Amino acid sequence: MNKIDTLRGLIARSSAAVFDFDNVIADSEPYHFEAYRRVFEKRGHVLDPSEYWREWTSRGGGAEGEISRHRLDMNPNEIRAEKDPVYAAFCRSGEIKLFFEALRVVDAFRRTGLVLAIASGSYEADIRAILRANGAEEIFRVIVGKDGIERYKPHPETYLLAAEELQTAPGACLAIEDADKGIKSAKGAGMSVILIETEITRDLHISGADLACADLGELHGLLEKILVEKR
């Protein structure tokens, strides 16, 4: 089956599109990295950007993984507690922009009739601050951050909560992800998944999605073709 037929089928059995946020909607991962870099550097440890994209962004190892891999005598909870306000300041500053193609994809999904949501590993307040700064806060019916989440991605809890707040069965939700941990989370919740490959993740050979697109532009092109058919 070709990509457009696959996407057509995914949309036909879905009532909601649930987006990951960092590196899918917002160009925010460099700011997460910078916030962590500052915290670790104060403690004498230098983060490797390529290792960060692979181990933190895609696989979800987080501060615990960094500390374990490098045998650091640090407390991950203390690291996060110091990092969070640094990143939150970036979010409030208006520096973090949304990807232009992401906005086109979001609008195209809206025009297919799907309701829109976000299921992210960032704090809801940070997500809303970025959306507000870019004039996009009202686009999404539901925004689920890590607030109140006990088990983060790759556990399915984040996506299950998004479906619950949408009052939609998980099987009727279509997740849009860029990371291995996100695909596992959405699949574990019972959702279909579209993988968006990015400059950060393209060489990681991520698998498990129902459809893989080379970038947001390819997904937008497929959506527009389906929308033309519906006119």
Side-chain angles (χ1 to χ4, degrees), residues 95-190:
E95 292 180 59
I96 303 176
K97 303 304 180 185
L98 306 184
F99 293 114
F100 172 71
E101 287 291 355
L103 292 174
R104 298 176 77 189
V105 166
V106 166
D107 179 65
F109 269 117
R110 179 190 60 78
R111 287 184 283 131
T112 68
L114 302 189
V115 297
L116 308 175
I118 287 172
S120 172
S122 289
Y123 285 109
E124 181 180 344
D126 292 340
I127 297 167
R128 289 191 180 277
I130 294 170
L131 292 174
R132 190 179 308 118
N134 287 273
E137 189 176 9
E138 302 305 317
I139 292 175
F140 299 92
R141 181 178 296 182
V142 165
I143 298 175
V144 173
K146 68 179 182 179
D147 318 64
I149 296 293
E150 294 183 2
R151 293 157 295 185
Y152 303 142
K153 299 178 185 179
H155 191 278
E157 183 176 350
T158 301
Y159 276 107
L160 288 171
L161 181 57
E164 180 181 332
E165 294 196 8
L166 283 165
Q167 298 182 322
T168 302
C173 294
L174 175 58
I176 296 87
E177 268 285 352
D178 73 313
D180 180 64
K181 64 180 178 181
I183 292 175
K184 289 176 178 174
S185 176
K187 280 292 186 181

Side-chain angles (χ1 to χ4, degrees), residues 165-207:
E165 294 196 8
L166 283 165
Q167 298 182 322
T168 302
C173 294
L174 175 58
I176 296 87
E177 268 285 352
D178 73 313
D180 180 64
K181 64 180 178 181
I183 292 175
K184 289 176 178 174
S185 176
K187 280 292 186 181
M191 298 183 183
S192 301
V193 185
I194 296 174
L195 168 66
I196 303 297
E197 296 177 350
T198 69
E199 291 297 327
I200 291 174
T201 62
R202 186 162 291 121
D203 295 333
L204 300 182
H205 308 294
I206 298 170
S207 61

Side-chain angles (χ1 to χ4, degrees), residues 71-105:
R71 300 180 181 179
L72 304 175
D73 184 18
M74 299 180 190
N75 184 317
N77 292 325
E78 292 177 2
I79 295 292
R80 278 190 290 270
E82 189 172 337
K83 173 263 183 183
D84 286 344
V86 177
Y87 178 70
F90 286 138
C91 297
R92 294 192 302 269
S93 73
E95 292 180 59
I96 303 176
K97 303 304 180 185
L98 306 184
F99 293 114
F100 172 71
E101 287 291 355
L103 292 174
R104 298 176 77 189
V105 166

Side-chain angles (χ1 to χ4, degrees), residues 40-56:
F40 274 97
E41 189 173 88
K42 284 170 60 176
R43 290 163 168 77
H45 177 68
V46 177
L47 293 184
D48 181 311
S50 61
E51 184 181 18
Y52 177 86
W53 307 137
R54 181 180 67 250
E55 299 295 340
W56 295 53

Side-chain angles (χ1 to χ4, degrees), residues 3-19:
K3 288 187 178 183
I4 195 164
D5 288 337
T6 299
L7 180 57
R8 190 184 296 112
L10 292 173
I11 292 171
R13 62 175 183 261
S14 301
S15 57
V18 187
F19 291 81

